[in-house]
Amino acid sequence: MSSIFDVELFGEKGFKRKKCPTCGRFFWTLNPEIELCGDQPCVEYSFLGNPPVQSSFTLTDVRETFLSFFEEHGHERIGRYPVVARWRDDVFLVGASIYDFQPWVTSGAVPPPANPLTISQPSIRLTDIDNVGRTGRHLTEFEMMAHHAFNFGDKEIYWNNRTVELCFDLFTDRIGIPSDKLTFIEDLWQGGGNAGEDFEVLVDGCEIATLVFMQYKVQNGDLVPMSTKVVDTGYGLQRILWLTKGTPTIYDAIFGDVLGFLRGEIGLGRPEEQIFLEASKLSGQMELSSKESRSKLRAKIASRIDIAPDELESLMHPHELVYAIADHTHALIFMMGDGVVPSNVGAGYLARLLIRKSLRYFRELGLELPLRELVSRQIQTLTLDFPEFKEISDEILEIVDVEEDRHRQVLKRGEVLVRRIAKDLQGKKTSKIPTGRLVEFYDSHGLTPGFVKDIAEGQGVQVSIPEDFYAQVAARHEKPKSEVEDSMTFEDLGEKISGIPPTKLLFYEDPYLDSFSAKVLKVIDNGWVVLDQTAFYSEGGGQPADHGIMKSAQGEGKVENTQRIGNTILHLLKDSVPAVGETVSCVVDWDRRKRLMRSHTATHIVNGAARRVLGQHVWQCGAQKGLDVNRLDITHHKHLNAEQVKEIEMTANSFLVTNTTVNVSFVPREEAEQKYGFRLYQGGAVPGREIRVVQIGDWEVEACGGTHCRSTGEVGLIKLLRSERIQDGVERLVYAVGPSAVELIQERDMLLETASSLLGVPILKVDSALESVLDINRNTEKRLRQVEGELSGLLASSLLENAEEVSGFKLITYSRPLEDIDFLIDLGGVLSQREPKVVSVLFAVGDTARIIVTVGDAAVNSGIHAGKIAETLSKSLGGGGGGKADFGQGGGPKVDLVSKIASSLEELIRSQAGS
């Protein structure tokens, strides 16, 4: 037995250590009569309908009881962290309270915000999403209450004895649970790269807490002792409330009002308590990852309460959907309230998954109310404990509206797509859509498997939906995909500079330093030079590298690239390379640096302006600073209109002229997070004990490694050029800064003056004059199309009269210049409509050749295929083509062969007709 499990309190209170005969694990108990460990599947829940304590607790009561207890016992209460783990690069969402402190605090690199501390951390896990509503206990969003102690080196706060004592006193003295009902099971926990022995704390079969004594790092599957030992506890807020209520499901304990509202909208009565009580008991005894296991569960429930399985399904299924909807919409508020915008990537993908799954259940239940109405009710309930959601409720509801409308459009397009795929599968003698294709339907088109099943089976194609479908999909998107960092391109260089002292970064000490002297520490044969100090900024954070010159005894070399590997800066030189040990004189290309400083500062300003115009859901998710044009990618749920772009530009420039000071400082990570919050991590996770914080008044603050102006006035001017929708949920702002902005405005003015001159009107009337010209042009084009129609009709009559008879078909060949291709397409249509036996092959010839083939209905029925003719002829021209039976097109560059292939048409038509 590990010494961790030999706890003083167990000896003092008379706990006995036993081994469970079912699972083989050891556990501690005060009840001499029990032999089983108390965990599922060894035992069933025994608190359902018979809670171990009678109380009128609410979620708020349980949370406050917990936090107050630990405050009274020497812990500092800290506020919750966002559910979006922006300080980490390995996960999107917070799945436990310890996520808040990994990896920086747990590794000892950064001190905790308090020690010891207590917190109630909202957490989100989608690994069991398909079991939500079915098992009676699984949730997507839950609160993990915790007390943490961080023991650094020889400074111990407390360890196993105090941890178990606090847990025991909380449950027995404050919650009121009889001590002989508490069971402590010995186990080993792993997660987030750490591990440690732990106790699982159970009452009447319900796990209500886990006490982890984290003291290992997991490296290549091995447990390596850490210098920091962390008390990592997790107490399930909702689980504890459920235990005190004894309701059939956890959903009944925490979502009462919402469940009542949904049932009222559907006309659904309260569920049969005995059914769901037995379901909750039995679900813990089984692995519910397949349709077969779910059927077995239904059969066991039916047997216990003496009801037919089919009848049981009809009684349970609607309530399971109601439970899942309540859970999913609850989780959505935390995600969107903390800055997640639904999209097709990252955390946005997971939010959209919850929305579309909820909408699917709405349709299945016949719920006609908008999703926003339910979300609004959930917000009203949540704001009692989380008032921050009230401030942004309008933004959340607008995003929900946009997503629901978008989903309706997806379903309209999706029905056509599924029907087409089903028809193609039938043509290939396949009667089932594979799971991989179902995932593709969801990932690429947003079509839920239930929707695909309804449409496909109506077409005679079977669909089998895995019970854990959504868990499979969520697993693909729960963690960021690993990407090869830019620095990995310089891996060989990294090996050659090992042992070199860190480069002194002069560009941080004085970003306006444009010349300096330095000593050469290393020269690599392909032109890379390492100095002891540098004012050349190395590429990073979306800011390009500095350029300049380096003067030495060997001559003057051009610095064309600057890269950072670890703590070393490398300079790529052209023309002349200095020798190791030399002192060199360096000059930064100041015009380039100044432009990039303006661009980088402007990016912070534009980001702040976008958030003020569009809402608090706006976060930076990418940026590139340039000499002339810059881009900033932001999260937003729909494409920006011209007025919004104009307002962002005006807001940014209005702040710019205040000439606010740009403050840059290195701040300990824990202090920066406490002072500025997690808006710091606009650009993603930032490594290091200290964070370089760039603060521009109360406008914007961000952890950033770039170079910036001293004040906003130095930026000069910001001109937004356009916005682009680069992916769902992400909008790109493209803008110019300073002199580049002025140059672009001048170029546009010149174009406007030219247009004014050409139209013969003042500049202020260019728009109306241009509209008049366009009206004239549209009318001319309309008349031209009419004339072309008349001409094509006359020409068609002439061509049909002179058509060549080939095997009973009327063959027509005709050529026009390349620019008449549209006319030829219309002509081909007229010919095939007028003559059922026509085969027309029309050539548009210029620098290249285009082919249009049209075939009448009678000819098609006789085996003539326009697409195949176009394909054959196009190959002869050195190109490609194809099409349908009645229309084909193609072409190729060998224009000199047009007359030759036209003469081969008779043989081609006879071969098709003969086949």
Side-chain angles (χ1 to χ4, degrees), residues 496-515:
K496 295 180 179 180
I497 61 172
S498 60
I500 292 180
T503 308
K504 186 177 182 180
L505 307 180
L506 300 177
F507 52 79
Y508 280 165
E509 295 182 3
D510 181 4
Y512 286 78
L513 182 67
D514 61 355
S515 62

Side-chain angles (χ1 to χ4, degrees), residues 247-291:
T247 53
T249 74
I250 198 170
Y251 319 111
D252 296 299
I254 62 179
F255 295 130
D257 292 342
V258 170
L259 298 178
F261 168 72
L262 285 170
R263 289 169 184 150
E265 289 293 315
I266 303 166
L268 185 67
R270 290 186 59 81
E272 292 286 341
E273 287 198 1
Q274 191 62 30
I275 292 177
F276 282 92
L277 186 147
E278 296 297 339
S280 294
K281 286 182 178 180
L282 289 168
S283 65
Q285 313 299 302
M286 305 176 65
E287 176 65 39
L288 300 178
S289 60
S290 67
K291 196 167 283 186

Side-chain angles (χ1 to χ4, degrees), residues 722-734:
R722 62 185 180 276
S723 67
E724 302 169 352
R725 193 72 167 168
I726 62 168
Q727 68 183 42
D728 212 11
V730 179
E731 195 78 0
R732 173 168 291 172
L733 297 171
V734 181

